[in-house]
Amino acid sequence: MIYKIENVPKLEGKIAIGGSKNAALSIVVGAILCKDIVILKNIPDITDIHDLIEILNYIHCRVTYQNFTLTIDARQIEYKDLRIQQIKKLRASYYFMGAFLSLFEKVEIYKPGGCNFGKRPIDIHLNGFEKMGAIINETENDVCMTCPNHLKSQQITLSFPSVGATINLILASILIKKTTVLRNVATEPEIVDFVQFLKAMGANIDGEGTKTIIIRKIKQLHGCSYTIMPDRIECGTYLIYGAALAKKLTLTNIISRQVRSLLSIFIEMGVDIDIKQDQITIYETKHLKPVKIVTGPFPSFPTDLQQIICPLLLKADGQSMIIDTIYSKRISHIEELKKLNANVKIVDNCMLISKSNDLKGNIVTCNDLRGGAGMLLACLMAKGKSYLMNTQWIERGYQNIIHNLKLLGASIERCDENEIL
Ligand code: EPZ
C-alpha cells in the first residue's frame, strides 16, 4: 500500500483520539476467559484488531464488531492448535499463551509476529509459566506447554518490567484457586486498563500501576461492558505532528498525564502548548531547542514515540540525541530519513539528529509501525512530492490516519505503483 504525500503549509483543526491499540489487544484476549457476553467499547478499527478477531473466530468465539464496539461470546470456545498463520501477524497473539493455560492448561502456538526491530525474546513470559508448573517445549518457531500437575500460584519476580510478560502472567494466574504475586511488573497505563477490565469481569486483583500485582482466587468471571482507554501513543503521534507542522491543532479524548514524558520534552524544546486534563492544543512554534531523549519503561519517554519525534528534531536549532534503552535496534527510519536529505546518523547506539532545513520529497519505505508513522511526518515536512511504501504497517496501529490528516489540511492519498513508475 502506498501513500502519495505533498508538502503542506500548515496543519490546522481538531482530532478526537481513538481507543488504545495496546490496551485493546490484551483486553480482547482476556475476554475469552469469561463464559458470558463481554462488550468492549472504543475498540480502534485497525488491522491488528481484525487479525485478532480472525483468531477468536477460529477458536469458536462468537464476535461482532461495529461502531468501534466489539461483542465477544466465548461460551462455545474450543481448544485448538494455534500454530496458524494469523498468530504470526501480530505481537499480541502471544497473550493466547496465558489465556489457554488458564482455560485448558495447555497451548500449542507459533511464536508471535509484530514489528521487527531486533530480537524480541519471550523468555520472561516462559520463565514465569515454567515457575507456575508449565512443562515447556520451545523450538525456533513455536511453543508447546502442558501442566500435568496443574498451574500453581507463585511469587514471581520479573527480570525486566516487560509489558507483555506482565499481562501474560496475569492471564495465566486469573483462575488459579490461590494467590499469585508478581513483582517488578510493568506499570504502563495499558496494564492498568487491562486489570481494571478484569476487575469489571469480577477478578480480584490489586496493585495495577505499581511494581507489584497481587491476583487472588475468584469463584468465576462474569460478563461486563468496558470502555478502552484512549491511545496514548496515537495521542503522542498527533502531538508531535502538531509540534512540527501545526498552525493550531487540538486533540480531544485524551488523558494528558499519560503523555507527560512527551509534554516535558515539548516544554524543554519551547513548544507553544495549552494542556488540559482531557484536551491539548498546540500552536505554531517558530524556534525549537534541541533535546536529549532517553527511552525507558513508563513513566519514562516511551520507545514507541522515539521514531516519530525524530523528524520533529530536524527542526530544532542544533543537534539532538535519542537513545532507545528498550529496543536499541529500533532504527529502521534513520536510513529512510537520509533519503529525504535529513542530517541524521547513529554513533554507538545513539541517534544524532541535526537541524535540516532542506528536506526534499522522495520514495521512502515503512519498515515497522511507528517508524512508518515517523516517515509519514517526515514526508509531510519535505518539500515537493513523496511516495511512502509499505504503509500497511501504519494501518496496523492508526485508525483513519489519512482521513484525519486530510481534515487537518494535509495533501495525502493512497496510490498504486504505476503512479510512481
Ligand atoms: C509492548 O511490547 C508493546 N506492544 C510495544 O508496542 C511497546 O514498544 C513495548 O510494550 C514497550 O513498551 C504491545 O503492547 C502489543 P516488552 P512488548 O515485553 O510487550 C525485552 C507498538 O508500536 N523482553 O515490554 O513486546 C524486550 O526485548 C508496539 O505498539 C525480554 O527480554 O514489550 C524489550 O527490550 C511495538 N524478554 C523489553 O523487554 C521477554 O520475555 C520491553 O519489552 C519480554 C521482553
Side-chain angles (χ1 to χ4, degrees):
M1 203 182 296
I2 302 168
Y3 292 169
K4 179 175 72 173
I5 301 155
E6 302 199 48
N7 182 243
V8 283
K10 285 290 169 197
L11 298 177
E12 187 166 9
K14 186 181 274 195
I15 286 184
I17 294 300
S20 165
K21 165 178 91 79
N22 291 344
L25 293 171
S26 62
I27 288 169
V28 167
V29 177
I32 72 172
L33 295 180
C34 175
K35 296 286 178 281
D36 202 340
I37 307 278
V38 172
I39 298 169
L40 301 175
K41 297 176 181 167
N42 202 29
I43 295 280
D45 185 4
I46 54 177
T47 47
D48 266 15
I49 289 292
H50 293 289
D51 289 339
L52 213 45
I53 291 172
E54 264 189 56
I55 300 168
L56 263 60
N57 288 328
Y58 174 70
I59 56 176
H60 292 227
C61 296
R62 279 200 292 272
V63 185
T64 58
Y65 179 63
Q66 55 190 18
N67 300 329
F68 307 110
T69 297
L70 194 60
T71 303
I72 299 170
D73 177 353
R75 287 176 294 189
Q76 309 301 324
I77 192 169
E78 276 181 28
Y79 177 83
K80 288 276 183 99
D81 184 332
L82 294 178
R83 288 174 284 196
I84 54 174
Q85 289 312 310
Q86 287 87 335
I87 294 290
K88 294 181 177 180
K89 288 184 176 176
L90 70 163
R91 178 85 177 160
S93 58
Y94 59 17
Y95 293 140
F96 286 104
M97 290 182 191
F100 267 38
L101 285 177
S102 265
L103 288 167
F104 309 112
E105 295 205 313
K106 63 176 180 175
V107 61
E108 299 153 299
I109 187 168
Y110 277 141
K111 285 183 173 175
C115 293
N116 176 19
F117 21 78
K119 269 174 67 64
R120 295 182 74 182
I122 57 170
D123 55 314
I124 302 172
H125 305 238
L126 299 184
N127 293 344
F129 294 142
E130 193 168 40
K131 193 157 183 203
M132 294 170 75
I135 308 296
I136 300 173
N137 182 2
E138 180 188 3
T139 71
E140 195 184 330
N141 292 317
D142 64 20
V143 174
C144 297
M145 291 188 266
T146 55
C147 306
N149 304 315
H150 303 301
L151 276 177
K152 292 186 186 56
S153 66
Q154 284 291 350
Q155 308 224 7
I156 298 171
T157 300
L158 278 62
S159 56
F160 181 88
S162 153
V163 170
T166 301
I167 290 169
N168 235 338
L169 293 174
I170 292 171
L171 284 165
S173 308
I174 204 88
L175 299 176
I176 295 177
K177 296 296 176 216
K178 285 205 181 133
T179 299
T180 298
V181 180
L182 303 176
R183 292 192 176 86
N184 194 33
V185 297
T187 61
E188 272 72 1
E190 292 79 11
I191 303 282
V192 175
D193 210 33
F194 172 67
V195 171
Q196 285 175 355
F197 160 69
L198 294 175
K199 286 175 160 177
M201 287 202 296
N204 185 349
I205 305 180
D206 286 312
E208 66 273 21
T210 75
K211 295 303 282 177
T212 301
I213 287 179
I214 300 171
I215 304 115
R216 296 183 180 83
K217 74 177 173 59
I218 51 163
K219 288 194 181 56
Q220 69 171 26
L221 297 170
H222 55 71
C224 71
S225 175
Y226 188 81
T227 300
I228 306 292
M229 70 177 232
D231 191 317
R232 65 185 172 102
I233 304 300
E234 184 190 26
C235 172
T237 300
Y238 284 110
L239 284 172
I240 293 166
Y241 280 36
L245 290 168
K247 189 167 186 307
K248 179 182 176 185
L249 170 64
T250 297
L251 299 186
T252 60
N253 186 30
I254 67 167
I255 302 172
S256 296
R257 71 174 182 282
Q258 291 184 347
V259 290
R260 59 185 182 272
S261 59
L262 173 63
L263 297 177
S264 65
I265 289 288
F266 276 177
I267 290 161
E268 205 182 321
M269 293 180 74
V271 174
D272 185 357
I273 189 165
D274 175 42
I275 302 166
K276 294 186 175 60
Q277 204 170 350
D278 59 357
Q279 173 173 315
I280 294 179
T281 298
I282 278 205
Y283 300 92
E284 182 175 1
T285 308
K286 292 264 182 270
H287 298 289
L288 294 171
K289 300 185 190 81
V291 285
K292 177 179 179 186
I293 295 173
V294 180
T295 72
F298 190 83
S300 297
F301 192 93
T303 171
D304 290 353
L305 289 180
Q306 63 92 343
Q307 293 171 291
I308 301 162
I309 201 168
C310 208
L312 170 66
L313 300 179
L314 296 168
K315 301 188 82 164
D317 299 323
Q319 184 178 74
S320 297
M321 181 192 290
I322 298 178
I323 300 170
D324 192 337
T325 66
I326 303 288
Y327 299 113
S328 58
K329 297 280 180 282
R330 198 170 190 172
I331 53 170
S332 69
H333 54 304
I334 295 297
E335 287 311 309
E336 295 305 313
L337 286 171
K338 289 178 179 174
K339 294 176 187 170
L340 299 176
N341 199 32
N343 184 352
V344 292
K345 61 184 176 185
I346 295 174
V347 177
D348 303 334
N349 274 348
C350 249
M351 287 168 263
L352 299 177
I353 304 105
S354 303
K355 191 173 181 76
S356 305
N357 289 319
D358 191 20
L359 296 180
K360 287 192 180 61
N362 200 341
I363 299 173
V364 287
T365 298
C366 304
N367 293 300
D368 49 61
L369 165 57
R370 308 298 177 187
M375 288 314 298
L376 176 42
L377 171 58
C379 291
L380 289 167
M381 292 165 62
K383 290 189 185 62
K385 193 182 295 182
S386 291
Y387 290 95
L388 183 55
M389 316 299 282
N390 286 353
T391 54
Q392 61 277 10
W393 279 108
I394 296 175
E395 301 195 4
R396 276 192 52 204
Y398 292 94
Q399 69 179 0
N400 302 330
I401 191 160
I402 287 188
H403 170 78
N404 285 340
L405 289 174
K406 288 172 92 163
L407 274 182
L408 300 177
S411 168
I412 176 171
E413 298 294 342
R414 281 198 183 86
C415 74
D416 54 35
E417 267 176 356
N418 52 37
E419 176 148 349
I420 304 175
L421 304 177

